[in-house]
Amino acid sequence: DAGVIQSPRHEVTEMGQEVTLRCKPISGHDYLFWYRQTMMRGLELLIYFNNNVPIDDSGMPEDRFSAKMPNASFSTLKIQPSEPRDSAVYFCASTSRQGATSNYGYTFGSGTRLTVV
Amino acid sequence: AQSVSQHNHHVILSEAASLELGCNYSYGGTVNLFWYVQYPGQHLQLLLKYFSGDPLVKGIKGFEAEFIKSKFSFNLRKPSVQWSDTAEYFCAVASGGSYIPTFGRGTSLIVHP
């Protein structure tokens, strides 16, 4: 298995532009998480899905942020319009209920480093 | 809501030194505890976890952690660190049967050769 795949790896965009981050979870995993990592705030959970349904989006900072999971193999995190304070590394992670209690825990993607100038 | 505190933000050690990274959480019920490691430029990987049983948990690469319920702590230890242990270490706590962890701010460990 190729693991959790995120794209792009790096994104540089101008303030006000729309940004779309993509994630392909591990096949068979029914939980998908979006995290944001910054120096100031550490690792924050933005939203998570179970069986493609958003369960908790209380971590989404503003209405500018939205996430979708149209099917079991794909999720997007969109920021519109983007602002410089959105600059961070965004991680996607997936697991299964069984996996969460196994030795594998959560599998994280390599992240997308977003820079908004 | 639970919270996780990692008191050491930056730790600098020489090779062969012993390591202990502190992690405390605030939640009175049953917890599931994790330590993750993030090597430079890489994603988070699971080091070890505790769900039940022996409170002393052995993980990969010689790491271990001890769950002390009375102290709400889950400190990470390694008797002799190596240069390759240079990384960011995250403690995470999930309450009850949720399995959805809250992460601490992380501790940056630098090991000098």
Side-chain angles (χ1 to χ4, degrees), chain B residues 28-109:
Chain B
T30 303
V31 290
N32 302 312
L33 303 159
F34 309 82
W35 275 98
Y36 281 83
V37 60
Q38 184 180 27
Y39 297 105
Q42 297 188 26
H43 57 85
L44 277 78
Q45 304 170 48
L46 183 68
L47 258 185
L48 49 79
K49 64 174 177 62
Y50 171 82
F51 281 81
S52 63
D54 189 345
L56 184 61
V57 181
K58 304 284 188 185
I60 60 171
K61 304 186 180 185
F63 285 91
E64 65 178 31
E66 184 174 13
F67 170 48
I68 303 180
K69 188 175 181 180
S70 61
K71 295 185 178 180
F72 299 90
S73 70
F74 190 55
N75 292 355
L76 181 71
R77 299 195 292 250
K78 185 171 184 179
S80 177
V81 295
Q82 300 173 313
W83 175 77
S84 57
D85 293 325
T86 293
E88 189 95 12
Y89 292 82
F90 293 89
C91 179
V93 178
S95 60
S98 76
Y99 305 115
I100 310 299
T102 298
F103 284 83
R105 287 284 303 276
T107 296
S108 173
L109 171 67

Side-chain angles (χ1 to χ4, degrees), chain A residues 5-106:
Chain A
I5 300 173
Q6 289 187 246
S7 63
R9 289 295 304 273
H10 302 274
E11 176 80 32
V12 180
T13 190
E14 291 186 345
M15 182 173 63
Q17 296 298 306
E18 177 180 293
V19 175
T20 300
L21 311 181
R22 297 172 177 80
C23 175
K24 176 179 168 55
I26 289 177
S27 177
H29 282 187
D30 54 353
Y31 284 85
L32 182 141
F33 307 81
W34 282 101
Y35 287 90
R36 178 172 68 175
Q37 184 180 33
T38 61
M39 289 289 290
M40 291 297 294
R41 302 173 70 93
L43 198 64
E44 304 172 274
L45 176 64
L46 300 178
I47 184 172
Y48 79 92
F49 296 82
N50 178 220
N51 292 322
N52 314 337
V53 176
I55 303 300
D56 184 354
D57 65 354
S58 59
M60 297 284 263
E62 299 172 32
D63 292 344
R64 299 184 295 107
F65 286 69
S66 62
K68 294 182 180 179
M69 192 165 186
N71 57 60
S73 59
F74 183 66
S75 176
T76 59
L77 177 67
K78 187 174 293 186
I79 308 173
Q80 165 64 20
S82 58
E83 296 183 4
R85 60 194 168 118
D86 301 331
S87 297
V89 180
Y90 291 81
F91 287 102
C92 177
S94 72
T95 191
S96 64
R97 183 60 178 255
Q98 182 178 7
T101 59
S102 74
N103 288 327
Y104 301 100
Y106 293 72

